[in-house]
Amino acid sequence: MTEQSEEPRWAALSLASTIRHDGDGGVADDLDDLDGFRAWLDAARPLLPGEWEATEALRSEARALRGAVRALFARGVRPGPVSPADADRLQPADEALALLDATAARVPVRPVLDWPEGAAPAVRLEPAPGTDTLPAALARAALDFLAAPDFAHLRACTAPRCVRYFVRRHGRQEFCKPSCGNRARAARHYRRHRGEGDAMGGGA
């Protein structure tokens, strides 16, 4: 399974990724204003089926849930490195979990039996008709993601300036995307050659 899956639980990773490198040495927040929130909501719609109007109240709740998700992502990747974007101000894990649990519980669910031809029947839970809300959908997505096997492969990208979390697809993957790998290799090359230059200069 990859980030391109349209299963709702991947909305948690999409939400966490609204904190990102701004391309100029800093950190950007895609939910910093209503236009950014609206753009993210439109992009995430395949993961969050439903119709929601982007409002300041929803934006505020989404940012709070993002803080909880990123705090739990940081807990999940330890003892490895966490994203430097918020490493010094993470919400306590018990508070983050309590927020997700309480928000998810705002929407009642109903059991639905799936029984495809030739397969065993299975029960899944889905929101009761007409009661879905965006914060609850995001909270349920986060809880599902935290409990899924993919979560064991969550990592913080260690490329210079990157602040994203990603799910490692193979054992040797170190970075969230190829451009981050290229940047990391360039940085290592620069450090190595600068070190060689310093050593030569020191011996003169």
Side-chain angles (χ1 to χ4, degrees):
M1 194 66 62
T2 71
E3 289 90 336
Q4 282 68 49
S5 169
E6 292 190 0
E7 292 183 18
R9 61 191 170 90
W10 290 92
L13 189 60
S14 176
L15 180 64
S17 297
T18 57
I19 293 289
R20 57 179 177 80
H21 177 238
D22 67 0
D24 195 31
V27 175
D29 181 354
D30 290 337
L31 306 186
D32 196 43
D33 56 37
L34 195 57
D35 286 341
F37 176 56
R38 185 178 294 112
W40 172 76
L41 191 57
D42 287 343
R45 206 165 292 279
L47 302 172
L48 295 165
E51 293 297 328
W52 293 286
E53 180 183 354
T55 65
E56 284 293 350
L58 282 180
R59 184 179 74 89
S60 179
E61 286 203 75
R63 293 187 73 184
L65 290 169
R66 181 185 62 190
V69 168
R70 289 182 64 87
L72 295 171
F73 278 12
R75 177 181 177 179
V77 301
R78 289 190 177 104
V82 305
S83 170
D86 46 12
D88 60 344
R89 50 188 172 83
L90 291 169
Q91 184 178 11
D94 58 343
E95 292 181 11
L97 282 170
L99 176 62
L100 292 180
D101 287 343
T103 306
R106 283 161 44 181
V107 171
V109 296
R110 63 174 183 174
V112 176
L113 183 69
D114 288 327
W115 197 353
E117 187 69 31
V123 174
R124 59 183 170 84
L125 298 178
E126 67 173 27
T131 58
D132 205 6
T133 68
L134 179 61
L138 287 172
R140 285 197 309 274
L143 294 173
D144 288 344
F145 185 82
L146 294 168
D150 309 281
F151 186 62
H153 303 290
L154 187 74
R155 299 291 185 273
C157 184
T158 56
R161 301 186 302 277
C162 189
V163 296
R164 289 183 184 272
Y165 288 99
F166 70 99
V167 171
R168 189 174 63 181
R169 299 189 184 99
H170 55 79
R172 300 181 63 184
Q173 184 179 359
E174 299 179 62
F175 310 107
C176 66
K177 50 189 177 181
S179 58
C180 277
N182 294 338
R183 193 165 66 248
R185 285 188 288 274
R188 284 197 295 263
H189 178 80
Y190 174 77
R191 288 195 301 269
R192 183 169 62 250
H193 284 268
R194 186 181 63 177
E196 291 173 357
D198 290 345
M200 292 175 65

